[in-house]
Amino acid sequence: MSVSSIPGRRRRLNKTQKLSVAGISAMALAALSFSLVPANADPKPEAAAPASSEPAVFTSVAGTPQAKAVQASIIEQHSTAEQLVKAADLARAKEAAAAKAKAAEAAKIKAEAEAKARAAAKVKAEAVAAKRAETQAASRSEARTPVYANNLDGWIRESLDIMRAHGIPGSYEGLHRNIMRESSGNPNAVNGWDINAQNGTPSCGLLQVIKPTFNAYHVPGTSWNIYDPVANITAAANYAADKYGSMDNVNSAY
């Protein structure tokens, strides 16, 4: 609602509007003065005329061109003043709308920036959490990984774990007993006199396995070196399981 539409309130006029109203008032006063002059009055009397006994007659000037021009000017200036007020109101409304739109755009940009910052922080936090979980999992896995001694006891225990993973039967006692009979626990032992040696394939390692048998019964995950203690034990145990059911059933040369 504009100020002019509120009962009991007066609109403040700017400088242009005040000048317009002053001009209207001046022209209205001039029109009033002009209407009080008799139509037959002589603007420059040369001599005083004798007073007439008849009453003076004044003619109306409302319909004269001058009166009409004054009336038209007043109406035009009033319309111009109204237009100025409306134009000022429209300009203020446009300024307010522009300011509101600018504030909304700034708020939108700020909200988008904050959303991007939150998304980046979330991604970073997830990456940190994933890295931490990976590190913890690796630590737990390392903690669960058994450490075997580099001796006969450790070789047998490591071989047993690998055998269980591959479903190869055998016990600590059966492996240890056959190892001590075949090589006395020496992983580099070589039989250079039996029939296998005579055929060019000597028995080697803790359980005295020939190369063709080692290659045929090699267990994945172990070394391909026939002298490797763990690889030699697991390959021999795999062969014994296939031929005798288990190394536990072997009590002599096999």
Side-chain angles (χ1 to χ4, degrees):
M1 178 183 294
S2 65
V3 176
S4 60
S5 62
I6 302 176
R9 294 193 62 177
R10 296 179 60 190
R11 176 186 298 162
R12 289 188 177 182
L13 302 180
N14 58 29
K15 183 177 181 181
T16 302
Q17 294 168 349
K18 289 179 180 180
L19 292 175
S20 176
V21 172
I24 294 172
S25 300
M27 294 191 70
L29 181 60
L32 179 62
S33 300
F34 183 77
S35 66
L36 296 177
V37 178
N40 57 355
D42 187 358
K44 294 181 181 180
E46 295 180 356
S52 173
S53 60
E54 296 180 359
V57 178
F58 296 91
T59 60
S60 174
V61 295
T64 63
Q66 294 86 345
K68 289 181 178 181
V70 171
Q71 183 180 12
S73 177
I74 293 172
I75 293 173
E76 180 182 357
Q77 292 189 41
H78 178 73
S79 176
T80 301
E82 289 292 332
Q83 291 176 359
L84 289 173
V85 172
K86 290 180 179 179
D89 291 341
L90 180 61
R92 284 192 296 270
K94 287 183 177 180
E95 290 177 358
K100 184 177 181 180
K102 186 176 180 180
E105 182 65 20
K108 179 181 178 182
I109 293 173
K110 182 180 179 181
E112 290 176 349
E114 290 176 349
K116 288 181 180 179
R118 287 193 298 271
K122 181 180 179 182
V123 170
K124 183 178 180 180
E126 290 175 349
V128 171
K131 183 66 176 179
R132 184 184 301 113
E134 181 180 352
T135 302
Q136 291 174 349
S139 298
R140 288 192 297 270
S141 177
E142 184 178 352
R144 288 194 299 267
T145 302
V147 178
Y148 305 101
N150 189 25
N151 54 31
L152 182 58
D153 178 75
W155 301 331
I156 293 175
R157 293 185 184 282
E158 185 175 357
S159 295
L160 284 170
D161 286 343
I162 296 173
M163 289 163 57
R164 278 191 289 269
H166 290 274
I168 301 171
S171 66
Y172 185 98
E173 187 278 331
L175 293 176
H176 186 271
R177 172 167 42 86
N178 282 283
I179 288 172
M180 295 309 293
R181 186 188 67 249
E182 293 293 332
S183 65
S184 300
N186 179 12
N188 297 313
V190 177
N191 186 328
W193 53 267
D194 66 1
I195 187 64
N196 292 319
Q198 294 174 16
N199 292 330
T201 56
S203 300
C204 305
L206 290 174
L207 283 170
Q208 293 293 283
V209 183
I210 62 175
K211 186 63 172 175
T213 301
F214 177 82
N215 292 340
Y217 290 92
H218 174 265
V219 178
T222 63
S223 172
W224 281 95
N225 181 3
I226 194 172
Y227 293 100
D228 180 85
V230 175
N232 187 281
I233 293 173
T234 52
N238 194 24
Y239 166 76
D242 183 43
K243 299 300 181 180
Y244 307 103
S246 171
M247 183 64 76
D248 294 348
N249 300 327
V250 178
N251 295 295
S252 62
Y254 60 106

